[in-house]
């Protein structure tokens, strides 16, 4: 018989933590006993971090994320970027070009133990230029990247100096991302003229 609360010759359904004793009587009336301690495990506690904003081209450091009572951790994302390590709470997330174009991504931290899985989410916002093309890094020492937002696409690009000297003209792009390496040029200011449909967007880039 299980005590407390049990009936002779029947098992006992346990719904609370505590100590439970099993009494056994043989045909001669001799009694033996043993005990079992039942502990209650709680669902994990998880905190992904506060909603935040970063500059285009930057990585999000997730140093404030935390979990307790957890046997397994996994980060997931609605975006297409990548985590340095998605199986630890404190990691970093690198947004993709698609993430930068979208501007807002939901990151989710999932924490699991034997009782189930709990998650917490944060909203990552990436700063975008208001003219429909976000550029980074600026200033730059070498490669500069242009990412279209607002559904735009770059047909071609032309590059001039601040004095008007043409560096290159009508570079075919036909896409939403354009990269150019300025490392072979001396420091200065360069103007990138990006044709998007019938509109030309000019971006001023400083080369260090």
């Amino acid at each position: 018989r299980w005590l407390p609360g049990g009936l002779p010759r029947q098992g006992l359904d346990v719904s609370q933590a505590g100590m439970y004793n099993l009494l056994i009587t043989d045909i001669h009336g001799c009694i033996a006993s043993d005990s079992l301690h039942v502990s209650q495990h709680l669902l994990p506690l998880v905190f992904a971090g506060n909603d935040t904003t970063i500059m285009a081209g930057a990585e999000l450091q997730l140093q404030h994320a935390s979990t307790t009572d957890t046997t397994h951790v996994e980060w997931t994302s609605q975006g297409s970027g990548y985590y340095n390590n998605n199986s630890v709470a404190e990691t970093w997330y690198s947004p993709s070009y698609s993430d930068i174009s979208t501007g807002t991504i939901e990151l989710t931290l999932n924490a699991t133990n034997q009782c189930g899985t709990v998650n917490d989410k944060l909203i990552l916002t990436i700063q975008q230029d208001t003219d429909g093309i976000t550029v980074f890094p600026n200033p730059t020492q070498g490669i500069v990247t242009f990412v279209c937002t607002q559904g735009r696409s770059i047909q071609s690009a032309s590059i001039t100096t601040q004095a008007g000297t043409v560096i290159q003209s009508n570079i075919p792009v036909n896409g939403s991302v354009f990269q150019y390496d300025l490392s072979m040029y001396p420091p200065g200011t360069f103007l990138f003229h990006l044709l998007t449909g019938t509109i030309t967007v000019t971006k001023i880039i400083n080369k260090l």
Side-chain angles (χ1 to χ4, degrees), residues 142-205:
I143 294 177
V144 61
T145 301
F146 303 84
V147 178
C148 291
T149 60
Q150 304 174 10
R152 291 189 176 181
S153 179
I154 302 171
Q155 278 74 57
S156 63
S158 297
I159 309 167
T160 62
T161 65
Q162 192 174 25
T165 302
V166 177
I167 302 297
Q168 277 190 272
S169 62
N170 297 320
I171 305 169
V173 180
N174 297 319
S176 60
V177 178
F178 173 57
Q179 288 186 310
Y180 194 84
D181 189 357
L182 288 170
S183 60
M184 72 285 292
Y185 297 103
T189 300
F190 295 83
L191 279 63
F192 283 73
H193 311 280
L194 309 169
L195 178 62
T196 62
T198 58
I199 299 173
T200 298
V201 177
T202 298
K203 310 291 286 191
I204 300 174
I205 307 300

Side-chain angles (χ1 to χ4, degrees), residues 1 11 22 28 58 74 81 86 89 117 133 158 168:
R1 178 175 182 173
L22 177 62
H28 304 291
E74 182 182 20
N86 74 334
T117 299
I133 299 178
S158 297
Q168 277 190 272

Side-chain angles (χ1 to χ4, degrees), residues 44-122:
L45 296 177
V46 57
F47 176 63
N50 296 320
D51 295 347
T52 189
T53 300
I54 62 173
M55 296 179 62
E59 296 167 347
L60 174 62
Q61 300 295 325
L62 295 161
Q63 71 268 28
H64 299 300
S66 63
T67 65
T68 57
D69 299 322
T70 304
T71 58
H72 178 72
V73 170
E74 182 182 20
W75 279 99
T76 57
S77 169
Q78 287 185 333
S80 57
Y82 66 91
Y83 293 96
N84 177 49
N85 185 348
N86 74 334
S87 60
V88 297
E90 295 187 22
T91 184
W92 50 260
Y93 180 78
S94 180
S96 66
Y97 294 148
S98 177
D99 293 345
I100 295 171
S101 179
T102 301
T104 302
I105 309 100
E106 184 178 86
L107 308 181
T108 302
L109 177 58
N110 304 280
T112 302
N113 66 13
Q114 57 266 53
C115 294
T117 299
V118 178
N119 63 57
D120 189 36
K121 305 175 188 295
L122 69 85

Side-chain angles (χ1 to χ4, degrees), residues 34-52:
D34 198 3
S35 62
L36 177 68
H37 181 262
V38 176
S39 60
Q40 182 179 8
H41 290 278
L42 302 176
L43 284 168
L45 296 177
V46 57
F47 176 63
N50 296 320
D51 295 347
T52 189

